[in-house]
Amino acid sequence: MLIRDGAIHSVDSFAEDVRDGLQQTGQKTLLSKYLYDDIGSALFEAITRLPEYGLTRAEERILRRHSSDIAQFLTAHGMVVELGSGSGRKTRQILESLAHHQSMTYCPIEISSAALVSCERELDDLTHVSILGFEAEYLDGLGRAVARRRHGEAVTVLFLGSSIGNFDRAPAEDFLRGIRQRIEPGDTLLLGTDLEKPLAQLIPAYDDSLGLTEAFNRNLLARINRELGGDFDLSRFEHVALYNARERRIEMHLRCMQTQTVSMDEATFTFRSDETIWTESCHKYGRHEPVEMAARTGFECVAQWMDEEWGFAENLFVAV
Ligand SMILES: C[S@@+](CC[C@H](N)C(=O)[O-])C[C@H]1O[C@@H](n2cnc3c(N)ncnc32)[C@H](O)[C@@H]1O
């Protein structure tokens, strides 16, 4: 069953966020959540299969090797809520291990209706698993899902793929507190974090030779053209992936290659040559960092599983 309470992004709020981000003085920005329309979600899914993007395969290896260990911590839990499920491909491992023990409800929360539909299709054949998807923003969807928990039923939240890294570090901890406020002591959070690694490995993951990440990034401008009547000339913006060593994050930008003015309905945006629009951040973590993040946000990190081949940690937090 798919629950949709109207469109989560009205055209108005998308337009307002674009105007705010592109008219501000200083660094222009667009919110990364808008990367995921139907085309963006399809491109992201293709990116996860690229040789350069080892992150998804690393997490798949952890879940394949350790899913029964992970399930040991979760066996008493009857509701699994996944924030930003994407296609749900990786989640199969966890649900299959858990559904050995009991029947359960799985609630994917997605901003992208295309991702939600493919997730439901991907996991539809699992016996003992009822799927209840929410087209919603992360915390709004989590609140609505847990409101349906049955008496005595514990909740496991999944936040995989190092999507936590899209938040700056302090907002990431606020976000973890937001999860904690919506769940009960003893509930669990399985959090995927991509680890710091050499630039020779990291940069190609966000600037692949086939150009899929570039297309994923530039699709944001194409989406503004399609949905908001913008007139961005995509050929005048190039994809940039850089590592900000001070903040320990990859930043994706779109660099304007010549001075130009772009319009969107009544609004106009002026770009200087070489000016960039910052579209996404992907923070990288030390191995012990999630343990400290848990302690500061109302959780205890009770287990970690590492993939040494790529450098990825799966962290199991228990709400205290
Ligand atoms: C980096 S992808 C990760 C997908 C999947 N969890 C994985 O590990 O491959 C982030 C996913 O979260 C969704 N998403 C992004 N921002 C969101 C938000 N604010 N609320 C709900 N979903 C969001 C996107 O549509 C996308 O499918």
Side-chain angles (χ1 to χ4, degrees):
M1 190 194 348
L2 187 55
I3 297 206
R4 286 206 178 98
D5 276 0
I8 44 172
H9 290 305
S10 66
V11 167
D12 286 352
S13 58
F14 181 22
E16 193 178 317
D17 286 342
V18 170
R19 277 195 299 271
D20 287 352
L22 298 186
Q23 287 179 333
Q24 65 196 353
T25 48
Q27 175 68 62
K28 290 182 167 63
T29 55
L30 289 171
L31 299 178
S32 64
K33 65 182 181 182
Y34 293 117
L35 289 164
Y36 297 94
D37 65 346
D38 294 9
I39 295 175
S41 290
L43 285 168
F44 178 75
E45 182 57 21
I47 288 168
T48 65
R49 294 168 192 263
L50 287 171
E52 293 97 329
Y53 195 81
L55 192 155
T56 301
R57 278 184 299 281
E59 193 167 36
E60 271 166 352
R61 276 192 295 274
I62 293 177
L63 297 177
R64 200 170 47 244
R65 287 178 188 153
H66 303 290
S67 60
S68 48
D69 282 359
I70 295 172
Q72 293 301 318
F73 285 92
L74 311 176
T75 41
H77 295 217
M79 178 184 261
V80 174
V81 183
E82 179 162 19
L83 308 180
S85 61
S87 71
R89 207 169 78 233
K90 277 179 298 194
T91 316
R92 172 174 288 276
Q93 296 289 340
I94 300 175
L95 295 181
E96 277 178 346
S97 304
L98 283 175
H100 268 319
H101 302 276
Q102 61 187 331
S103 61
M104 69 175 58
T105 307
Y106 169 61
C107 301
I109 313 292
E110 254 300 335
I111 205 168
S112 156
S113 57
L116 197 52
V117 167
S118 56
C119 175
E120 294 193 312
R121 202 178 299 132
E122 168 78 27
L123 301 172
D124 188 42
D125 63 319
L126 289 173
T127 42
H128 308 305
V129 178
S130 349
I131 303 181
L132 181 60
F134 292 83
E135 188 179 335
E137 294 248 5
Y138 295 134
L139 292 182
D140 173 44
L142 174 60
R144 284 159 54 194
V146 298
R148 292 170 171 256
R149 75 156 85 187
R150 287 190 289 266
H151 182 69
E153 189 176 59
V155 168
T156 293
V157 180
L158 308 178
F159 198 29
L160 306 181
S162 206
S163 297
I164 188 74
N166 297 146
F167 294 92
D168 285 355
R169 285 176 205 277
E173 294 197 4
D174 289 341
F175 184 74
L176 292 175
R177 284 184 200 98
I179 295 175
R180 174 64 193 85
Q181 280 160 11
R182 286 164 178 79
I183 60 178
E184 301 293 331
D187 288 341
T188 47
L189 166 66
L190 191 64
L191 180 73
T193 47
D194 198 26
L195 301 180
E196 294 169 78
K197 48 183 60 70
L199 288 194
Q201 186 185 357
L202 202 48
I203 295 287
Y206 296 91
D207 196 4
D208 61 275
S209 53
L210 205 55
L212 288 186
T213 317
E214 172 168 30
F216 174 67
N217 199 6
R218 296 205 307 182
N219 175 55
L220 187 41
L221 303 184
R223 181 179 184 185
I224 295 171
N225 290 350
R226 285 191 298 269
E227 295 183 24
L228 304 177
D231 66 354
F232 278 99
D233 177 348
L234 270 56
S235 68
R236 293 180 175 180
F237 288 85
E238 66 177 355
H239 168 68
V240 178
L242 58 87
Y243 189 67
N244 179 330
R246 193 166 58 91
E247 302 294 342
R248 293 181 291 134
R249 68 181 174 217
I250 288 281
E251 293 177 9
M252 288 199 333
H253 293 252
L254 289 161
R255 179 185 289 135
C256 171
M257 288 148 76
Q258 62 188 81
T259 299
Q260 59 188 293
T261 300
V262 175
S263 41
M264 186 188 87
D265 278 344
E266 313 284 273
T268 55
F269 314 119
T270 305
F271 295 92
R272 296 185 315 276
S273 179
D274 268 349
E275 182 174 17
T276 71
I277 309 171
W278 185 4
T279 53
E280 191 176 54
S281 299
C282 303
H283 290 77
K284 304 299 162 188
Y285 300 90
R287 285 163 186 259
H288 200 65
E289 213 172 329
V291 178
E292 293 154 6
M293 288 159 71
R296 287 192 292 264
T297 56
F299 292 97
E300 182 187 356
C301 181
V302 295
Q304 286 187 302
W305 296 270
M306 302 285 170
D307 177 77
E308 301 296 344
E309 194 178 324
W310 171 259
F312 193 92
E314 204 71 76
N315 312 282
L316 189 83
F317 290 7
V318 176
V320 290

